[in-house]
Coordinates of all heavy atoms in Angstrom, one line a residue:
Chain B
I27 N 94.9 80.2 102.5 CA 96.2 80.3 103.1 C 96.1 80.5 104.6 O 95.6 81.6 104.9 CB 97.1 81.4 102.4 CG1 97.1 81.3 100.9 CG2 98.5 81.3 102.9 CD1 97.7 80.0 100.3
G57 N 113.1 83.8 100.3 CA 112.5 85.1 99.9 C 111.4 84.8 98.9 O 110.8 83.7 98.9
V58 N 111.3 85.7 97.9 CA 110.2 85.6 96.9 C 110.7 84.7 95.8 O 111.8 84.9 95.3 CB 109.8 87.0 96.5 CG1 109.0 87.0 95.2 CG2 109.1 87.8 97.6
E59 N 109.8 83.9 95.3 CA 110.1 83.1 94.1 C 109.0 83.2 93.1 O 107.8 83.3 93.5 CB 110.3 81.6 94.5 CG 111.6 81.4 95.3 CD 112.0 80.0 95.5 OE1 111.2 79.1 95.1 OE2 113.0 79.7 96.2
I60 N 109.4 83.2 91.9 CA 108.4 83.3 90.8 C 108.1 81.9 90.3 O 109.0 81.1 90.0 CB 108.9 84.1 89.6 CG1 109.3 85.5 90.1 CG2 107.9 84.1 88.5 CD1 108.1 86.3 90.6
D61 N 106.8 81.5 90.3 CA 106.3 80.2 89.8 C 106.1 80.2 88.3 O 106.5 79.2 87.6 CB 105.1 79.8 90.5 CG 105.3 79.7 92.0 OD1 106.4 79.3 92.4 OD2 104.4 80.0 92.8
R62 N 105.5 81.2 87.8 CA 105.2 81.2 86.4 C 104.9 82.6 85.9 O 104.4 83.5 86.7 CB 104.1 80.3 86.0 CG 102.7 80.7 86.5 CD 101.6 79.7 86.1 NE 100.3 80.2 86.5 CZ 99.8 80.1 87.7 NH1 100.5 79.4 88.6 NH2 98.7 80.6 88.0
A63 N 105.2 82.9 84.6 CA 104.8 84.2 84.0 C 104.0 83.8 82.8 O 104.5 83.1 81.9 CB 106.0 85.0 83.6
E76 N 100.7 88.2 83.6 CA 100.4 87.8 85.0 C 101.5 87.0 85.5 O 101.9 85.9 84.9 CB 99.1 87.1 85.1 CG 98.8 86.7 86.6 CD 97.4 86.4 86.9 OE1 96.5 86.9 86.3 OE2 97.2 85.6 87.9
I77 N 102.1 87.4 86.6 CA 103.2 86.7 87.2 C 102.7 86.2 88.5 O 102.1 86.9 89.3 CB 104.4 87.6 87.4 CG1 105.0 87.9 86.0 CG2 105.4 87.0 88.3 CD1 106.1 88.9 86.0
A78 N 102.9 84.8 88.7 CA 102.5 84.2 89.9 C 103.7 83.7 90.7 O 104.6 83.2 90.1 CB 101.5 83.0 89.6
G79 N 103.7 84.0 91.9 CA 104.9 83.5 92.7 C 104.4 83.3 94.2 O 103.2 83.4 94.5
H80 N 105.4 83.0 95.0 CA 105.1 82.8 96.4 C 106.3 83.3 97.2 O 107.4 83.3 96.8 CB 104.7 81.4 96.8 CG 105.8 80.4 96.6 ND1 106.1 79.9 95.3 CD2 106.6 79.9 97.5 CE1 107.1 79.0 95.5 NE2 107.5 79.0 96.7
N81 N 105.9 83.7 98.5 CA 106.9 84.2 99.4 C 107.3 83.0 100.3 O 106.5 82.5 101.1 CB 106.4 85.4 100.2 CG 107.4 85.9 101.2 OD1 108.5 85.5 101.2 ND2 106.9 86.9 102.0
R82 N 108.6 82.6 100.3 CA 109.0 81.5 101.1 C 109.4 81.9 102.5 O 109.5 81.1 103.4 CB 110.1 80.7 100.5 CG 109.8 80.1 99.1 CD 111.1 79.6 98.5 NE 111.7 78.5 99.2 CZ 111.5 77.2 99.0 NH1 110.7 76.8 98.0 NH2 112.1 76.3 99.7
A83 N 109.5 83.2 102.7 CA 110.0 83.7 104.0 C 108.8 83.8 105.0 O 107.7 83.8 104.7 CB 110.6 85.1 103.9
I87 N 107.4 90.6 102.5 CA 108.6 91.2 101.8 C 108.0 92.3 100.9 O 107.1 92.0 100.1 CB 109.3 90.1 101.0 CG1 110.0 89.2 101.9 CG2 110.4 90.8 100.1 CD1 110.8 88.1 101.2
Y89 N 108.9 95.0 98.0 CA 109.9 95.3 97.0 C 109.3 96.1 95.8 O 108.1 96.3 95.8 CB 110.5 93.9 96.5 CG 109.5 93.0 95.8 CD1 109.4 93.0 94.4 CD2 108.6 92.2 96.6 CE1 108.4 92.1 93.8 CE2 107.7 91.4 96.0 CZ 107.6 91.3 94.6 OH 106.7 90.5 94.0
Y91 N 109.1 96.6 91.5 CA 109.3 95.9 90.3 C 109.0 96.9 89.1 O 108.3 97.9 89.2 CB 108.4 94.7 90.1 CG 106.9 95.0 89.9 CD1 106.3 95.1 88.7 CD2 106.1 95.3 91.0 CE1 105.0 95.5 88.5 CE2 104.8 95.6 90.9 CZ 104.2 95.7 89.6 OH 102.9 96.0 89.5
T113 N 105.2 96.9 95.5 CA 104.3 95.7 95.8 C 104.9 95.0 97.0 O 105.9 95.3 97.6 CB 104.2 94.8 94.6 OG1 103.2 93.8 94.9 CG2 105.5 94.1 94.3
S114 N 104.1 94.0 97.5 CA 104.6 93.2 98.6 C 104.0 91.8 98.5 O 103.0 91.6 97.9 CB 104.1 93.9 99.9 OG 102.7 93.9 100.0
A115 N 104.6 90.9 99.3 CA 104.2 89.5 99.3 C 104.0 89.2 100.8 O 105.0 89.3 101.6 CB 105.2 88.6 98.6
A116 N 102.9 88.7 101.1 CA 102.6 88.3 102.5 C 103.5 87.1 102.9 O 103.8 86.3 102.0 CB 101.1 88.0 102.7
A117 N 103.7 86.9 104.2 CA 104.5 85.8 104.6 C 103.9 84.4 104.2 O 102.7 84.2 104.4 CB 104.7 85.8 106.2
K118 N 104.8 83.6 103.6 CA 104.4 82.2 103.3 C 103.1 82.2 102.5 O 102.2 81.3 102.7 CB 104.2 81.4 104.5 CG 105.5 81.0 105.3 CD 106.3 80.0 104.4 CE 107.5 79.5 105.2 NZ 108.4 78.8 104.3
A119 N 103.0 83.1 101.6 CA 101.7 83.2 100.8 C 102.0 83.5 99.3 O 103.1 84.0 99.0 CB 100.9 84.4 101.4
P120 N 101.1 83.1 98.5 CA 101.3 83.4 97.1 C 100.9 84.8 96.7 O 100.3 85.5 97.5 CB 100.3 82.4 96.4 CG 99.2 82.2 97.4 CD 99.8 82.3 98.7
F121 N 101.4 85.3 95.6 CA 101.0 86.6 95.2 C 101.0 86.6 93.6 O 101.4 85.7 93.0 CB 102.1 87.6 95.6 CG 103.5 87.4 95.0 CD1 103.8 88.1 93.8 CD2 104.4 86.6 95.5 CE1 105.0 87.9 93.2 CE2 105.6 86.4 94.9 CZ 105.9 87.0 93.7
A122 N 100.4 87.7 93.1 CA 100.3 87.8 91.7 C 100.6 89.3 91.3 O 100.2 90.2 92.0 CB 98.9 87.4 91.2
I123 N 101.2 89.4 90.2 CA 101.5 90.8 89.6 C 100.9 90.8 88.2 O 101.1 89.9 87.4 CB 103.0 91.0 89.5 CG1 103.6 91.2 90.9 CG2 103.3 92.3 88.7 CD1 105.1 91.3 91.0
K124 N 100.1 91.8 88.0 CA 99.5 91.9 86.7 C 100.0 93.2 86.0 O 100.2 94.2 86.6 CB 98.0 92.0 86.8 CG 97.4 90.7 87.3 CD 95.9 90.7 87.2 CE 95.3 89.4 87.7 NZ 93.9 89.3 87.6
M137 N 111.1 91.9 83.3 CA 110.8 92.5 84.5 C 112.0 92.5 85.4 O 112.7 91.6 85.5 CB 109.6 91.8 85.3 CG 109.1 92.5 86.5 SD 107.6 91.8 87.1 CE 108.2 90.9 88.5
T139 N 113.4 93.6 89.5 CA 113.0 93.9 90.8 C 114.1 94.5 91.6 O 115.3 94.4 91.3 CB 112.6 92.6 91.5 OG1 113.7 91.7 91.6 CG2 111.4 91.9 90.8

Side-chain angles (χ1 to χ4, degrees):
Chain B
I27 309 296
V58 166
E59 289 187 1
I60 301 298
D61 297 326
R62 67 178 185 278
E76 177 162 332
I77 289 176
H80 64 279
N81 181 5
R82 295 172 66 95
I87 293 179
Y89 61 99
Y91 69 94
T113 188
S114 63
K118 287 290 186 190
F121 67 89
I123 292 174
K124 293 185 179 185
M137 188 169 103
T139 59

